[in-house]
Amino acid sequence: MICRTILNETSYFGEGAITKIADEIKSRGLKKIMLVTDKDLLEFKVATKVCFVMDDADIAYEIYDKIKANPTIKNVTEGVEFCRDCRADAIVAVGGGSAIDTSKAVAVIIKNPEFADVRSLEGASPTKHKCLPIIAVSTTSGTAAEVTINYVITDEEKNRKFVCTDPHDIPVVAIIDPDMTASMPAKLCAATGMDALVHAIEGYITKGAWELTDMMHLKAIEIISRSLRGSVKGEPKGRADMALGQYIAGMGFSNVGLGIVHSMAHPLSAVYDTPHGVACAMLLTPVLKFNAEATGEKYRAVAKAMGVKKTKDMSIKEARKECIAAVEKLSADVGIPQKLSELGIKEKDIKFLAESAMADACTPGNPRDASLKEIENLYRSIL
Ligand SMILES: NC(=O)c1ccc[n+]([C@@H]2O[C@H](COP(=O)([O-])OP(=O)(O)OC[C@H]3O[C@@H](n4cnc5c(N)ncnc54)[C@H](O)[C@@H]3O)[C@@H](O)[C@H]2O)c1
Ligand SMILES: [Fe+2]
């Protein structure tokens, strides 16, 4: 088997890492930056920290601040126009997955204009050219969009989210500066952190997993499990560790894929605008139960990485039970809702949600093949 690995050209981790942005822009000979973010991140003085770095270095930039959570096709189309109008030769994306994903779509289309309709990039995108250089600065600790080769866009007309996978879209530079995540409120921190845990677990059990990515995913599970609770309480060490844990998970899953937690989460965000991390966190337990028999010894390793003691003395059945219990406890401790009905999800939509999940690009990666009926029942089990 030949296993491909794609990572950023350069990444910086640590408090103050955003100061490296100026050197990176200058050493790459970039002249004009499109800064992609949202209004809240400017108002909360998060994105402004990056503006100060560029101001101090006399770097020319213009700000596109219209990103919405679960970004839409309109965000992409407007972003492309903005990028052309301001003649940017690079993008600095400051935000969570939404700002970074939109930046990827814009940067890809600028260099591959024949794909102006972003829908044509769904799945494995057949682009020919590397996207405009992106320097991605993450402000949440979850999606790891700064290191992945995926982006996810919402098609509001069709009520669906679609995933595009393209080696040409990876940010050249990733900046993981825990200080940029300090302002996350507890709920956002919990949801995005659980998204990171899902990436690590789905990446570890997905069909394409191999030793290199196992190493990343198990380390990520260990870091996330020991630091998410503290991070949600606002402890600086927890925040810093989560920033690292989610990045390591991204290095792994981006190269091997995910599974049906993600396929089933995408339609919930498309139809109900459910935050991505919340949707993933709620679906993780039922999907882990569904996949258990198809994962060999893997849940034992996940349980151990999550801090469960004496896993090697357990039968595999016990180890799987302990693994699922550890996930459930972490999710409850950080306040993730338990029932989809709490978020307004309705029985009448389940068929559409399940059909949409079946068509999602993450579905083939699931360790156990799922039928439409089984996916419907998984939604129902937490309705
Ligand atoms: N590219 C990938 O590989 C990948 C992987 C998983 C998910 N995604 C996608 O990423 C998106 C979700 O991204 P996300 O979970 O990072 O959230 P997000 O980018 O949608 O941000 C959610 C909200 O949090 C706010 N926010 C972000 N950082 C903050 C901070 N430091 N302080 C205060 N508020 C802050 C934003 O303003 C926004 O309103 C979804 O569309 C999802 O499908 C992408
Ligand atoms: Fe995710």
Side-chain angles (χ1 to χ4, degrees), residues 61 109 117 143 176 182 248 360 379:
Y61 65 92
I109 293 171
D117 177 359
T143 69
I176 304 100
I248 298 173
D360 191 275
Y379 281 122

Side-chain angles (χ1 to χ4, degrees), residues 13 69 112 137 218 226 316 331 353 358:
F13 175 83
N112 298 271
V137 185
L218 286 174
R226 69 154 199 257
I316 188 60
S331 178
L353 294 171
M358 284 297 278

Side-chain angles (χ1 to χ4, degrees), residues 141-143 190-206 217 220-221 224-225 228 242 245-246 249-250 252-254 256-266 276-288 291 302 306 327 330-331 336 362 366-367:
S141 290
T143 69
T192 52
M194 285 301 293
D195 183 28
L197 180 71
V198 176
H199 295 156
I201 297 180
E202 285 211 294
Y204 180 58
I205 63 176
T206 194
H217 291 131
I221 293 167
I224 294 164
S225 306
L228 182 56
M242 275 305 298
Q246 64 88 35
F253 88 81
S254 172
V256 289
L258 293 166
I260 61 170
V261 174
H262 272 77
S263 321
M264 293 178 64
H266 291 148
H276 175 71
V278 173
C280 284
M282 294 179 76
L283 289 160
L284 180 57
T285 302
V287 172
L288 279 178
N291 283 336
V302 174
M306 292 192 76
V327 165
L330 180 55
S331 178
I336 299 295
C362 297
N366 200 60

Side-chain angles (χ1 to χ4, degrees), residues 15-22 35 37 40-57 61 63 92 94 137-139 175 177-184:
E15 200 100 344
I18 55 165
T19 55
K20 297 291 176 191
I21 294 173
L35 189 145
T37 190
D40 287 348
L41 286 168
L42 288 167
E43 199 184 310
F44 300 151
K45 308 271 180 274
V46 181
T48 42
K49 292 181 187 174
V50 173
C51 296
F52 294 148
V53 169
M54 294 202 286
D55 290 340
D56 281 351
Y61 65 92
I63 301 176
V92 172
V94 184
V137 185
S138 48
T139 64
I175 306 276
D177 182 339
D179 184 43
M180 297 297 282
T181 70
S183 55
M184 269 195 295

Side-chain angles (χ1 to χ4, degrees), residues 146-209:
E146 69 277 7
V147 63
T148 70
I149 58 167
N150 315 310
Y151 51 97
V152 191
I153 304 295
T154 301
D155 183 339
E156 288 179 302
E157 257 174 50
K158 296 191 176 141
N159 256 341
R160 63 186 291 266
K161 263 183 125 169
F162 57 94
V163 181
C164 307
T165 304
D166 185 354
H168 289 142
D169 73 21
I170 189 162
V172 285
V173 180
I175 306 276
I176 304 100
D177 182 339
D179 184 43
M180 297 297 282
T181 70
S183 55
M184 269 195 295
K187 260 191 176 171
L188 179 66
C189 182
T192 52
M194 285 301 293
D195 183 28
L197 180 71
V198 176
H199 295 156
I201 297 180
E202 285 211 294
Y204 180 58
I205 63 176
T206 194
K207 284 176 184 154

